Coordinates of all heavy atoms in Angstrom, one line a residue:
M238 N -9.2 -26.8 -37.8 CA -8.2 -26.3 -37.0 C -8.7 -26.3 -35.5 O -9.8 -25.9 -35.3 CB -7.8 -24.9 -37.4 CG -6.6 -24.4 -36.8 SD -6.1 -22.9 -37.7 CE -5.3 -22.0 -36.5
R239 N -7.9 -26.8 -34.6 CA -8.2 -26.8 -33.2 C -8.2 -25.5 -32.6 O -7.5 -24.6 -32.9 CB -7.2 -27.7 -32.5 CG -7.4 -29.2 -32.7 CD -6.4 -29.9 -31.8 NE -6.8 -31.2 -31.7 CZ -6.1 -32.1 -31.1 NH1 -4.9 -31.8 -30.6 NH2 -6.5 -33.3 -30.9
K240 N -9.1 -25.4 -31.5 CA -9.1 -24.1 -30.7 C -7.9 -24.2 -29.8 O -7.5 -25.2 -29.4 CB -10.4 -24.1 -29.9 CG -11.6 -23.7 -30.6 CD -12.8 -23.6 -29.7 CE -13.6 -22.4 -29.9 NZ -14.7 -22.2 -29.0
R241 N -7.4 -23.0 -29.5 CA -6.3 -22.9 -28.5 C -6.8 -23.2 -27.1 O -7.8 -22.7 -26.7 CB -5.7 -21.5 -28.5 CG -4.5 -21.4 -29.4 CD -4.0 -19.9 -29.5 NE -3.0 -19.6 -28.5 CZ -2.3 -18.5 -28.5 NH1 -2.6 -17.6 -29.4 NH2 -1.4 -18.3 -27.6
N242 N -6.0 -24.0 -26.4 CA -6.3 -24.3 -25.0 C -5.5 -23.4 -24.1 O -4.3 -23.7 -23.7 CB -6.0 -25.7 -24.7 CG -6.5 -26.1 -23.3 OD1 -6.7 -25.3 -22.5 ND2 -6.6 -27.4 -23.1
Y243 N -6.0 -22.2 -23.8 CA -5.3 -21.2 -23.1 C -4.9 -21.6 -21.7 O -3.9 -21.3 -21.2 CB -6.0 -19.9 -23.1 CG -6.1 -19.2 -24.4 CD1 -7.2 -19.3 -25.2 CD2 -5.0 -18.5 -24.9 CE1 -7.3 -18.7 -26.5 CE2 -5.1 -17.9 -26.1 CZ -6.2 -18.0 -26.9 OH -6.2 -17.4 -28.1
K244 N -5.8 -22.4 -21.1 CA -5.6 -22.8 -19.7 C -4.3 -23.8 -19.7 O -3.5 -23.6 -18.8 CB -6.8 -23.6 -19.2 CG -6.8 -23.8 -17.7 CD -8.2 -24.4 -17.3 CE -8.3 -24.4 -15.8 NZ -9.6 -24.9 -15.4
K245 N -4.3 -24.7 -20.6 CA -3.1 -25.6 -20.7 C -1.9 -24.8 -21.0 O -0.8 -25.1 -20.5 CB -3.4 -26.7 -21.7 CG -2.3 -27.7 -21.8 CD -2.7 -28.8 -22.8 CE -1.5 -29.8 -22.9 NZ -1.8 -30.7 -24.0
E246 N -2.0 -23.9 -22.0 CA -0.8 -23.1 -22.4 C -0.3 -22.3 -21.2 O 1.0 -22.2 -21.0 CB -1.3 -22.1 -23.5 CG -0.2 -21.4 -24.2 CD -0.7 -20.5 -25.3 OE1 -1.5 -21.0 -26.1 OE2 -0.4 -19.3 -25.4
Y247 N -1.1 -21.7 -20.4 CA -0.7 -21.0 -19.2 C 0.0 -22.0 -18.2 O 1.1 -21.7 -17.7 CB -1.8 -20.3 -18.5 CG -1.4 -19.4 -17.3 CD1 -0.8 -18.2 -17.5 CD2 -1.4 -19.9 -16.1 CE1 -0.4 -17.4 -16.5 CE2 -0.9 -19.2 -15.0 CZ -0.4 -17.9 -15.2 OH 0.1 -17.2 -14.2
A248 N -0.6 -23.1 -18.0 CA -0.1 -24.1 -17.0 C 1.3 -24.6 -17.5 O 2.2 -24.8 -16.6 CB -1.0 -25.2 -16.8
N249 N 1.5 -24.8 -18.8 CA 2.7 -25.4 -19.3 C 3.8 -24.4 -19.5 O 5.0 -24.7 -19.5 CB 2.5 -26.1 -20.6 CG 1.7 -27.4 -20.3 OD1 1.7 -27.9 -19.2 ND2 1.0 -27.8 -21.4
Y250 N 3.5 -23.1 -19.7 CA 4.5 -22.1 -20.1 C 4.4 -20.8 -19.3 O 5.4 -20.5 -18.6 CB 4.4 -21.9 -21.6 CG 5.4 -20.9 -22.1 CD1 6.7 -21.3 -22.3 CD2 5.1 -19.6 -22.5 CE1 7.7 -20.5 -22.8 CE2 6.1 -18.7 -23.0 CZ 7.4 -19.2 -23.1 OH 8.3 -18.3 -23.6
H251 N 3.3 -20.1 -19.4 CA 3.2 -18.8 -18.9 C 3.3 -18.7 -17.4 O 3.5 -17.6 -16.8 CB 2.0 -18.1 -19.4 CG 2.0 -17.9 -20.9 ND1 2.8 -17.1 -21.6 CD2 1.2 -18.5 -21.9 CE1 2.6 -17.2 -22.9 NE2 1.6 -18.0 -23.1
S252 N 3.0 -19.8 -16.7 CA 3.0 -19.7 -15.2 C 4.3 -20.0 -14.6 O 4.5 -19.9 -13.4 CB 2.0 -20.8 -14.7 OG 2.4 -22.1 -15.0
K253 N 5.3 -20.3 -15.4 CA 6.7 -20.6 -14.9 C 7.3 -19.3 -14.4 O 7.1 -18.2 -15.0 CB 7.5 -21.1 -16.1 CG 7.0 -22.4 -16.7 CD 7.0 -23.6 -15.8 CE 6.6 -24.8 -16.5 NZ 5.5 -25.5 -15.9
P254 N 8.0 -19.4 -13.3 CA 8.6 -18.2 -12.7 C 9.5 -17.3 -13.7 O 9.4 -16.1 -13.7 CB 9.5 -18.7 -11.6 CG 8.8 -20.0 -11.2 CD 8.3 -20.5 -12.5
V255 N 10.2 -18.0 -14.5 CA 11.1 -17.3 -15.5 C 10.2 -16.5 -16.4 O 10.6 -15.3 -16.8 CB 12.0 -18.2 -16.2 CG1 12.7 -17.6 -17.4 CG2 13.0 -18.9 -15.3
Q256 N 9.2 -17.0 -16.9 CA 8.3 -16.4 -17.9 C 7.6 -15.2 -17.2 O 7.3 -14.2 -17.8 CB 7.3 -17.3 -18.5 CG 8.0 -18.4 -19.3 CD 8.9 -17.8 -20.3 OE1 8.7 -16.8 -21.0 NE2 10.1 -18.5 -20.5
K257 N 7.2 -15.3 -15.9 CA 6.6 -14.2 -15.2 C 7.6 -13.0 -15.1 O 7.2 -11.9 -15.2 CB 6.1 -14.7 -13.8 CG 4.9 -15.5 -13.9 CD 4.5 -15.9 -12.5 CE 3.2 -16.7 -12.5 NZ 2.8 -17.0 -11.1
V258 N 8.8 -13.3 -14.8 CA 9.8 -12.3 -14.7 C 10.0 -11.6 -16.1 O 10.1 -10.4 -16.2 CB 11.2 -12.8 -14.2 CG1 12.3 -11.8 -14.3 CG2 11.0 -13.3 -12.8
N259 N 10.1 -12.4 -17.2 CA 10.2 -11.8 -18.5 C 9.1 -11.0 -18.9 O 9.2 -9.9 -19.4 CB 10.4 -13.0 -19.5 CG 11.7 -13.6 -19.5 OD1 12.7 -13.1 -18.9 ND2 11.8 -14.8 -20.0
R260 N 7.8 -11.4 -18.5 CA 6.6 -10.6 -18.8 C 6.7 -9.3 -18.0 O 6.3 -8.3 -18.6 CB 5.4 -11.4 -18.5 CG 4.1 -10.7 -18.8 CD 2.9 -11.6 -18.7 NE 2.7 -12.2 -17.4 CZ 2.8 -13.5 -17.2 NH1 3.1 -14.4 -18.2 NH2 2.6 -14.0 -16.0
A261 N 7.1 -9.4 -16.8 CA 7.2 -8.2 -16.0 C 8.2 -7.2 -16.6 O 8.0 -6.0 -16.6 CB 7.6 -8.5 -14.5
G262 N 9.3 -7.7 -17.1 CA 10.3 -6.9 -17.8 C 9.7 -6.2 -19.0 O 10.0 -5.0 -19.3
R263 N 9.0 -6.9 -19.8 CA 8.3 -6.3 -21.0 C 7.3 -5.3 -20.6 O 7.3 -4.2 -21.3 CB 7.7 -7.4 -21.9 CG 8.7 -8.3 -22.6 CD 8.0 -9.3 -23.5 NE 7.2 -10.3 -22.9 CZ 7.6 -11.5 -22.5 NH1 8.8 -11.8 -22.6 NH2 6.7 -12.3 -21.9
N264 N 6.5 -5.5 -19.6 CA 5.6 -4.5 -19.1 C 6.3 -3.3 -18.6 O 5.8 -2.2 -18.9 CB 4.7 -5.1 -18.0 CG 3.7 -6.2 -18.6 OD1 3.5 -6.3 -19.8 ND2 3.2 -7.0 -17.7
K265 N 7.4 -3.5 -17.9 CA 8.1 -2.3 -17.4 C 8.7 -1.5 -18.5 O 8.6 -0.2 -18.5 CB 9.2 -2.8 -16.5 CG 10.0 -1.7 -15.8 CD 11.1 -2.2 -14.9 CE 11.9 -1.1 -14.3 NZ 13.0 -1.6 -13.5
A266 N 9.2 -2.1 -19.5 CA 9.7 -1.4 -20.7 C 8.7 -0.6 -21.4 O 8.9 0.5 -21.8 CB 10.4 -2.4 -21.7
R267 N 7.5 -1.2 -21.5 CA 6.4 -0.5 -22.2 C 6.0 0.8 -21.4 O 5.8 1.9 -21.9 CB 5.2 -1.4 -22.2 CG 3.9 -0.8 -22.8 CD 3.9 -1.0 -24.3 NE 2.7 -0.3 -24.9 CZ 2.6 0.0 -26.1 NH1 3.5 -0.5 -27.0 NH2 1.6 0.6 -26.6
K268 N 6.0 0.7 -20.0 CA 5.7 1.8 -19.2 C 6.7 2.9 -19.3 O 6.4 4.1 -19.3 CB 5.5 1.4 -17.7 CG 4.2 0.7 -17.5 CD 4.1 0.3 -16.0 CE 2.8 -0.5 -15.8 NZ 2.7 -1.0 -14.4
M269 N 8.0 2.5 -19.3 CA 9.1 3.4 -19.5 C 9.0 4.2 -20.8 O 9.1 5.5 -20.8 CB 10.4 2.7 -19.4 CG 10.8 2.2 -18.1 SD 12.3 1.1 -18.2 CE 13.5 2.2 -18.9
V270 N 8.7 3.6 -21.9 CA 8.6 4.2 -23.1 C 7.3 5.1 -23.2 O 7.3 6.2 -23.7 CB 8.6 3.2 -24.3 CG1 8.3 3.9 -25.6 CG2 9.9 2.5 -24.4
M271 N 6.2 4.7 -22.5 CA 5.0 5.5 -22.5 C 5.3 6.8 -21.7 O 4.8 7.8 -22.1 CB 3.9 4.7 -21.9 CG 3.3 3.7 -22.8 SD 2.0 2.6 -22.1 CE 0.7 3.8 -22.0
K272 N 6.1 6.7 -20.6 CA 6.4 7.9 -19.8 C 7.1 9.0 -20.6 O 6.9 10.2 -20.5 CB 7.2 7.6 -18.6 CG 6.3 7.1 -17.4 CD 7.2 6.9 -16.2 CE 6.4 6.5 -15.0 NZ 7.2 6.3 -13.8
T273 N 8.0 8.5 -21.5 CA 8.8 9.4 -22.3 C 8.0 9.9 -23.6 O 8.5 10.8 -24.3 CB 10.1 8.8 -22.8 OG1 9.8 7.7 -23.6 CG2 11.0 8.4 -21.6
G274 N 6.8 9.4 -23.8 CA 6.0 9.8 -24.9 C 6.3 9.1 -26.2 O 5.8 9.5 -27.3
G275 N 7.1 8.0 -26.1 CA 7.4 7.3 -27.3 C 6.3 6.5 -27.9 O 6.2 6.2 -29.1
T276 N 5.3 6.2 -27.1 CA 4.1 5.4 -27.5 C 3.0 5.6 -26.6 O 3.1 6.2 -25.5 CB 4.5 3.9 -27.6 OG1 3.4 3.2 -28.2 CG2 4.8 3.3 -26.2
T277 N 1.8 5.3 -27.1 CA 0.6 5.4 -26.2 C -0.2 4.1 -26.2 O 0.1 3.2 -27.1 CB -0.3 6.5 -26.8 OG1 -0.7 6.2 -28.1 CG2 0.3 7.9 -26.7
K278 N -1.1 4.0 -25.3 CA -1.8 2.7 -25.2 C -2.8 2.6 -26.4 O -3.4 3.6 -26.8 CB -2.7 2.8 -23.9 CG -3.4 1.5 -23.6 CD -4.1 1.6 -22.2 CE -4.7 0.3 -21.9 NZ -5.3 0.3 -20.6
G279 N -2.8 1.4 -27.0 CA -3.6 1.1 -28.1 C -3.2 1.7 -29.4 O -4.0 1.8 -30.4
D280 N -1.9 2.1 -29.6 CA -1.4 2.6 -30.8 C -1.0 1.6 -31.8 O -0.6 1.9 -32.9 CB -0.3 3.6 -30.6 CG 0.9 3.0 -30.0 OD1 0.9 1.8 -29.7 OD2 1.9 3.7 -29.8
G281 N -1.0 0.3 -31.5 CA -0.6 -0.7 -32.4 C 0.9 -0.9 -32.5 O 1.3 -1.5 -33.5
K282 N 1.6 -0.4 -31.6 CA 3.1 -0.5 -31.7 C 3.6 -1.4 -30.5 O 2.9 -1.5 -29.5 CB 3.8 0.9 -31.5 CG 3.4 1.9 -32.5 CD 4.0 1.6 -33.8 CE 3.7 2.7 -34.9 NZ 4.3 2.5 -36.1
D283 N 4.8 -2.0 -30.7 CA 5.4 -2.8 -29.7 C 6.7 -2.1 -29.3 O 7.3 -1.3 -30.1 CB 5.8 -4.2 -30.3 CG 4.7 -5.2 -30.2 OD1 3.6 -4.8 -29.7 OD2 4.9 -6.3 -30.7
V284 N 7.1 -2.4 -28.1 CA 8.4 -1.9 -27.6 C 9.4 -3.1 -27.9 O 9.2 -4.2 -27.3 CB 8.4 -1.5 -26.1 CG1 9.8 -1.1 -25.6 CG2 7.4 -0.4 -25.9
H285 N 10.4 -2.8 -28.7 CA 11.3 -3.8 -29.1 C 12.6 -3.7 -28.3 O 13.2 -2.7 -28.1 CB 11.7 -3.5 -30.6 CG 12.8 -4.3 -31.1 ND1 12.9 -5.6 -31.2 CD2 14.0 -3.8 -31.6 CE1 14.0 -6.0 -31.8 NE2 14.8 -4.9 -32.0
H286 N 13.0 -4.9 -27.8 CA 14.3 -5.0 -27.1 C 15.4 -5.4 -28.1 O 15.3 -6.5 -28.7 CB 14.3 -6.1 -26.0 CG 13.4 -5.7 -24.8 ND1 12.1 -5.8 -24.8 CD2 13.8 -5.1 -23.6 CE1 11.6 -5.4 -23.6 NE2 12.6 -5.0 -22.9
R287 N 16.3 -4.5 -28.4 CA 17.2 -4.7 -29.5 C 18.1 -5.9 -29.4 O 18.4 -6.6 -30.3 CB 18.1 -3.5 -29.7 CG 17.3 -2.3 -30.2 CD 18.3 -1.1 -30.5 NE 17.5 0.0 -31.1 CZ 17.4 1.2 -30.7 NH1 18.1 1.6 -29.7 NH2 16.7 2.1 -31.4
N288 N 18.4 -6.3 -28.1 CA 19.3 -7.4 -27.9 C 18.5 -8.7 -27.6 O 19.0 -9.8 -27.4 CB 20.3 -7.2 -26.8 CG 19.7 -7.0 -25.5 OD1 18.5 -7.1 -25.3 ND2 20.6 -6.8 -24.5
G289 N 17.2 -8.6 -27.6 CA 16.3 -9.8 -27.5 C 16.1 -10.2 -26.0 O 15.4 -11.2 -25.7
N290 N 16.7 -9.5 -25.1 CA 16.6 -9.8 -23.7 C 15.5 -8.9 -23.0 O 15.7 -7.7 -22.8 CB 17.9 -9.6 -23.0 CG 17.9 -9.9 -21.5 OD1 16.8 -10.3 -20.9 ND2 19.0 -9.8 -20.8
P291 N 14.3 -9.5 -22.6 CA 13.2 -8.7 -22.1 C 13.5 -8.1 -20.7 O 12.8 -7.3 -20.2 CB 12.1 -9.7 -22.0 CG 12.7 -11.0 -22.0 CD 13.9 -10.9 -22.8
R292 N 14.6 -8.6 -20.1 CA 15.0 -8.0 -18.8 C 15.9 -6.8 -18.9 O 16.2 -6.2 -17.9 CB 15.7 -9.1 -17.9 CG 14.7 -10.3 -17.6 CD 15.5 -11.3 -16.8 NE 14.7 -12.5 -16.7 CZ 15.1 -13.6 -16.0 NH1 16.2 -13.5 -15.4 NH2 14.3 -14.6 -16.0
D293 N 16.4 -6.6 -20.1 CA 17.4 -5.5 -20.3 C 16.6 -4.3 -20.7 O 16.3 -4.1 -21.9 CB 18.4 -5.9 -21.3 CG 19.5 -4.8 -21.5 OD1 19.4 -3.8 -20.9 OD2 20.4 -5.1 -22.4
N294 N 16.3 -3.4 -19.8 CA 15.4 -2.2 -20.1 C 16.2 -0.9 -20.1 O 15.7 0.1 -19.8 CB 14.3 -2.1 -19.0 CG 13.3 -3.2 -19.2 OD1 13.0 -3.7 -20.4 ND2 12.7 -3.7 -18.2
R295 N 17.5 -1.0 -20.5 CA 18.2 0.2 -20.7 C 17.6 1.0 -21.9 O 17.1 0.4 -22.8 CB 19.7 -0.1 -21.1 CG 20.4 -0.7 -19.9 CD 21.8 -1.1 -20.3 NE 21.7 -2.2 -21.3 CZ 22.5 -2.3 -22.4 NH1 23.4 -1.4 -22.6 NH2 22.3 -3.3 -23.2
V296 N 17.6 2.3 -21.8 CA 17.0 3.2 -22.8 C 17.6 2.9 -24.1 O 16.8 2.9 -25.1 CB 17.2 4.7 -22.4 CG1 16.6 5.6 -23.5 CG2 16.4 5.0 -21.1
G297 N 18.9 2.7 -24.2 CA 19.5 2.4 -25.5 C 19.1 1.1 -26.1 O 19.4 0.8 -27.3
N298 N 18.5 0.2 -25.4 CA 18.1 -1.1 -25.8 C 16.7 -1.2 -26.3 O 16.3 -2.2 -26.8 CB 18.4 -2.2 -24.7 CG 18.2 -3.6 -25.3 OD1 18.7 -3.9 -26.3 ND2 17.5 -4.4 -24.5
L299 N 15.9 -0.1 -26.0 CA 14.5 -0.1 -26.4 C 14.2 0.7 -27.6 O 14.8 1.8 -27.8 CB 13.7 0.5 -25.2 CG 13.8 -0.3 -23.9 CD1 13.1 0.5 -22.8 CD2 13.4 -1.7 -24.0
A300 N 13.3 0.2 -28.4 CA 12.9 1.0 -29.6 C 11.4 0.7 -29.9 O 10.9 -0.4 -29.5 CB 13.7 0.5 -30.8
V301 N 10.7 1.6 -30.4 CA 9.3 1.4 -30.7 C 9.2 1.0 -32.2 O 9.7 1.6 -33.1 CB 8.5 2.8 -30.5 CG1 7.0 2.6 -30.9 CG2 8.6 3.2 -29.1
T302 N 8.5 -0.1 -32.4 CA 8.4 -0.7 -33.8 C 6.9 -1.1 -34.0 O 6.1 -1.2 -33.0 CB 9.3 -1.9 -34.0 OG1 8.9 -2.9 -33.1 CG2 10.7 -1.6 -33.8
S303 N 6.6 -1.4 -35.2 CA 5.2 -1.9 -35.5 C 5.2 -3.3 -34.9 O 6.2 -4.0 -34.8 CB 4.9 -1.9 -37.0 OG 5.8 -2.8 -37.6
K304 N 4.0 -3.8 -34.7 CA 3.8 -5.2 -34.2 C 4.3 -6.2 -35.2 O 5.0 -7.1 -34.8 CB 2.3 -5.5 -33.9 CG 1.8 -4.9 -32.6 CD 0.4 -5.3 -32.4 CE -0.1 -4.7 -31.1 NZ -1.5 -5.1 -30.8
T305 N 4.1 -6.0 -36.5 CA 4.5 -6.9 -37.4 C 6.0 -7.0 -37.5 O 6.6 -8.1 -37.7 CB 3.9 -6.6 -38.8 OG1 4.2 -5.3 -39.2 CG2 2.4 -6.8 -38.9
A306 N 6.7 -5.8 -37.4 CA 8.2 -5.8 -37.5 C 8.8 -6.5 -36.3 O 9.7 -7.3 -36.4 CB 8.7 -4.4 -37.6
N307 N 8.2 -6.2 -35.1 CA 8.8 -6.8 -33.9 C 8.5 -8.3 -33.7 O 9.4 -9.0 -33.2 CB 8.2 -6.1 -32.6 CG 8.9 -6.4 -31.4 OD1 10.1 -6.5 -31.4 ND2 8.2 -6.6 -30.3
R308 N 7.5 -8.8 -34.3 CA 7.1 -10.2 -34.1 C 7.5 -11.1 -35.3 O 7.2 -12.2 -35.3 CB 5.6 -10.3 -33.8 CG 5.2 -9.6 -32.6 CD 3.8 -9.6 -32.3 NE 3.4 -8.7 -31.2 CZ 2.2 -8.6 -30.7 NH1 1.3 -9.3 -31.1 NH2 2.0 -7.8 -29.7
S309 N 8.2 -10.5 -36.2 CA 8.6 -11.3 -37.4 C 10.0 -11.7 -37.4 O 10.5 -12.2 -38.4 CB 8.3 -10.5 -38.7 OG 9.1 -9.3 -38.7
F310 N 10.8 -11.5 -36.4 CA 12.2 -11.8 -36.3 C 12.3 -13.4 -36.3 O 11.6 -14.1 -35.7 CB 12.9 -11.3 -35.1 CG 13.2 -9.9 -35.1 CD1 12.3 -8.9 -34.5 CD2 14.3 -9.4 -35.7 CE1 12.6 -7.6 -34.5 CE2 14.6 -8.0 -35.8 CZ 13.8 -7.1 -35.2
K311 N 13.3 -13.8 -37.1 CA 13.6 -15.3 -37.0 C 14.2 -15.5 -35.6 O 14.9 -14.7 -35.1 CB 14.6 -15.6 -38.1 CG 14.0 -15.5 -39.5 CD 14.9 -16.2 -40.5 CE 14.4 -16.0 -41.9 NZ 13.5 -17.0 -42.3
R312 N 13.9 -16.7 -35.1 CA 14.4 -17.0 -33.8 C 15.3 -18.2 -33.8 O 15.2 -19.0 -34.7 CB 13.2 -17.3 -32.9 CG 12.4 -16.1 -32.7 CD 11.1 -16.3 -31.9 NE 10.2 -15.2 -31.9 CZ 10.3 -14.1 -31.2 NH1 11.3 -13.9 -30.4 NH2 9.4 -13.1 -31.4
T313 N 16.2 -18.2 -32.9 CA 17.2 -19.4 -32.8 C 16.5 -20.5 -32.1 O 15.3 -20.4 -31.7 CB 18.4 -19.0 -32.0 OG1 18.0 -18.6 -30.7 CG2 19.2 -17.8 -32.7
R314 N 17.2 -21.6 -32.0 CA 16.6 -22.8 -31.5 C 16.1 -22.7 -30.0 O 15.1 -23.2 -29.6 CB 17.6 -24.0 -31.6 CG 17.0 -25.3 -31.3 CD 17.9 -26.4 -31.6 NE 17.7 -26.8 -33.0 CZ 18.2 -27.9 -33.5 NH1 18.9 -28.7 -32.8 NH2 17.9 -28.2 -34.8
N315 N 16.8 -21.9 -29.2 CA 16.4 -21.7 -27.9 C 15.5 -20.4 -27.7 O 15.6 -19.7 -26.7 CB 17.5 -21.7 -26.9 CG 18.8 -21.1 -27.4 OD1 18.9 -21.0 -28.6 ND2 19.7 -20.8 -26.5
A316 N 14.8 -20.1 -28.8 CA 13.7 -19.0 -28.8 C 14.3 -17.6 -28.6 O 13.5 -16.7 -28.1 CB 12.7 -19.3 -27.7
K317 N 15.5 -17.4 -28.9 CA 16.0 -16.0 -28.8 C 16.0 -15.4 -30.2 O 16.1 -16.1 -31.2 CB 17.5 -16.0 -28.3 CG 17.6 -16.4 -26.9 CD 19.0 -16.4 -26.4 CE 19.1 -16.8 -24.9 NZ 20.4 -16.9 -24.5
K318 N 15.8 -14.1 -30.2 CA 15.8 -13.4 -31.5 C 17.1 -13.4 -32.2 O 18.1 -13.3 -31.5 CB 15.3 -11.9 -31.3 CG 13.9 -11.8 -31.0 CD 13.6 -10.3 -30.8 CE 12.1 -10.2 -30.4 NZ 11.8 -8.8 -30.2
L319 N 17.1 -13.7 -33.4 CA 18.4 -13.7 -34.2 C 18.7 -12.3 -34.6 O 18.0 -11.8 -35.5 CB 18.3 -14.7 -35.4 CG 19.5 -14.8 -36.2 CD1 20.6 -15.4 -35.4 CD2 19.2 -15.7 -37.4
V320 N 19.6 -11.6 -33.9 CA 19.8 -10.2 -34.2 C 21.0 -10.1 -35.2 O 22.1 -10.7 -35.0 CB 20.2 -9.5 -32.9 CG1 20.5 -8.0 -33.2 CG2 19.1 -9.6 -31.9
R321 N 20.7 -9.5 -36.3 CA 21.8 -9.3 -37.3 C 22.4 -7.9 -37.2 O 21.7 -6.9 -37.3 CB 21.2 -9.6 -38.7 CG 20.7 -11.0 -38.9 CD 20.5 -11.3 -40.2 NE 20.0 -12.7 -40.3 CZ 19.7 -13.3 -41.3 NH1 19.7 -12.7 -42.5 NH2 19.3 -14.6 -41.3
R322 N 23.7 -7.9 -37.1 CA 24.4 -6.6 -37.0 C 24.7 -6.1 -38.4 O 25.1 -6.9 -39.3 CB 25.7 -6.8 -36.3 CG 25.5 -7.4 -34.9 CD 25.0 -6.3 -33.9 NE 24.9 -6.9 -32.6 CZ 24.0 -6.6 -31.7 NH1 23.2 -5.6 -32.0 NH2 23.9 -7.1 -30.6
V323 N 24.5 -4.8 -38.7 CA 24.7 -4.3 -40.0 C 26.0 -3.5 -40.0 O 26.4 -2.9 -39.0 CB 23.5 -3.4 -40.4 CG1 23.8 -2.8 -41.8 CG2 22.3 -4.1 -40.4

């Protein structure tokens, strides 16, 4: 198995302006939830955006989930979370 080339990965994807804005949105959501006491640093939890949009940081759109639950959603072709309504 090949080693990951993080430098190339950053150059091709993470350095794009849109991805920087998305990352900033995710970081802001994490800080918002930490302020309310919903999670703490290093607790192994993720802040989940219910509608899949990392820029939508409304309180009603954020939920604390385990890392495995948040990262196991099936995704659509354009990399959006496939949200199933119950």
Side-chain angles (χ1 to χ4, degrees):
M238 193 163 149
R239 286 183 158 173
K240 282 182 137 183
R241 261 175 95 170
N242 186 343
Y243 289 101
K244 194 173 189 177
K245 183 178 178 186
E246 191 175 309
Y247 184 82
N249 290 338
Y250 182 74
H251 298 292
S252 66
K253 303 291 186 237
V255 171
Q256 295 310 319
K257 286 183 178 183
V258 171
N259 287 343
R260 183 170 56 246
R263 288 188 294 270
N264 291 340
K265 183 179 178 185
R267 177 92 186 164
K268 286 180 183 178
M269 287 172 57
V270 173
M271 285 175 72
K272 275 187 180 179
T273 63
T276 186
T277 58
K278 188 174 182 177
D280 65 355
K282 301 285 184 179
D283 275 358
V284 175
H285 167 64
H286 289 83
R287 289 185 174 128
N288 66 0
N290 180 0
R292 297 181 192 181
D293 184 359
N294 289 329
R295 292 175 294 141
V296 175
N298 188 44
L299 301 176
V301 178
T302 61
S303 67
K304 283 184 180 181
T305 54
N307 190 41
R308 299 176 188 189
S309 66
F310 284 97
K311 293 193 185 270
R312 297 177 190 278
T313 61
R314 193 171 268 196
N315 34 344
K317 292 183 180 174
K318 290 181 181 178
L319 181 63
V320 179
R321 295 193 179 178
R322 305 280 181 212
V323 180

